[in-house]
């Protein structure tokens, strides 16, 4: 009888072995499914996290402003050559003020009255007495905003020390003046609204900025010894 018992025990062991193997396969299958789910969640989460990082990242430098429109360009015809200005879209008050002055012919036959080498050239004073502010033209609000940089060859509005005091006078930056900080702590870019850039005629700006100058009535050595005429300003294309 012993052999029968032995064979029965072996059969039970074989059956138990099959059962254990089946359980192992089930466990392995479950673990594999869990691993796939975890891997998928990690991939999706990581992908979203990367996207979130990209959306939240703040650029270290602001992008160049786009023109007001493709057609908003102003041609300044001067006695030393032509300068073409393209206006920015993020300074609507300033650009509209400038375009109105151009359309009315206010800048025609005026002069660049102030030149500071390696700094700027200035024009647009309409008063005969040379005052910076034209009392016959309303002042406009400063438009400093989050993007306002007086880079080389940008055009900006001149003004007094008072906020919102610009009228008709403008200047073109002959150098990058965006990093200027006054002894008072005021930054140049926090004072003067840059509303466009020279896209043609940079060499003319350079030439004007290098003319000989003498002292003006305020004792500043910035008055050109030769007359530099702004023959006409007109909206083009």
């Amino acid at each position: 009888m012993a052999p029968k018992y032995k064979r029965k025990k072996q059969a039970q062991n074989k059956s138990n072995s099959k059962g254990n193997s089946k359980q192992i396969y089930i466990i392995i299958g479950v673990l594999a499914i869990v691993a796939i789910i975890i891997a998928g969640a990690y991939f999706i989460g990581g992908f979203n996290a990367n996207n979130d990082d990209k959306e939240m990242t703040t650029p270290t430098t602001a992008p160049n402003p786009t023109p007001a429109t493709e057609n908003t360009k102003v041609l300044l015809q001067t006695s030393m050559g032509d300068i073409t200005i393209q206006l920015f879209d993020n300074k609507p008050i300033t650009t509209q003020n400038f375009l109105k002055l151009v359309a009315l012919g206010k800048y025609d036959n005026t002069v660049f009255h102030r030149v500071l080498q390696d700094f700027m050239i200035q024009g647009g004073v309409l008063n005969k007495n040379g005052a910076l502010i034209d009392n016959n033209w309303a002042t406009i609000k400063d438009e400093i905003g989050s993007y306002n940089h007086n880079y080389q060859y940008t055009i900006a509005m001149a003004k007094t020390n008072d906020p919102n005091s610009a009228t008709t006078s403008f200047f073109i930056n002959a150098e990058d003046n965006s990093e200027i900080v006054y002894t008072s702590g005021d930054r140049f870019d926090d004072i003067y609204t840059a509303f466009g850039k020279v896209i043609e005629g940079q060499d003319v700006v350079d030439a004007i900025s290098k003319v000989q100058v003498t002292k003006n009535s305020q004792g500043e050595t910035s008055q050109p010894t030769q007359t530099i005429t702004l023959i006409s300003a007109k909206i083009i294309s």
Side-chain angles (χ1 to χ4, degrees), residues 116-187:
L116 292 170
Q117 188 172 355
D118 299 326
F119 183 37
M120 61 82 170
I121 63 175
Q122 185 173 333
V125 168
L126 306 185
N127 279 353
K128 291 182 179 180
N129 63 4
L132 185 64
I133 297 300
D134 185 351
N135 294 324
N136 297 318
W137 196 266
T139 57
I140 59 173
K141 183 179 179 181
D142 296 334
E143 291 182 288
I144 303 303
S146 59
Y147 186 98
N148 188 70
H149 298 294
N150 283 267
Y151 293 140
Q152 186 178 28
Y153 302 127
T154 53
I155 182 172
M157 291 302 294
K159 51 184 282 190
T160 68
N161 293 328
D162 296 326
N164 310 315
S165 59
T167 53
T168 64
S169 185
F170 65 87
F171 63 90
I172 299 175
N173 290 284
E175 295 292 339
D176 182 355
N177 297 319
S178 62
E179 298 300 323
I180 292 177
V181 179
Y182 294 103
T183 54
S184 62
D186 295 323
R187 297 174 64 253

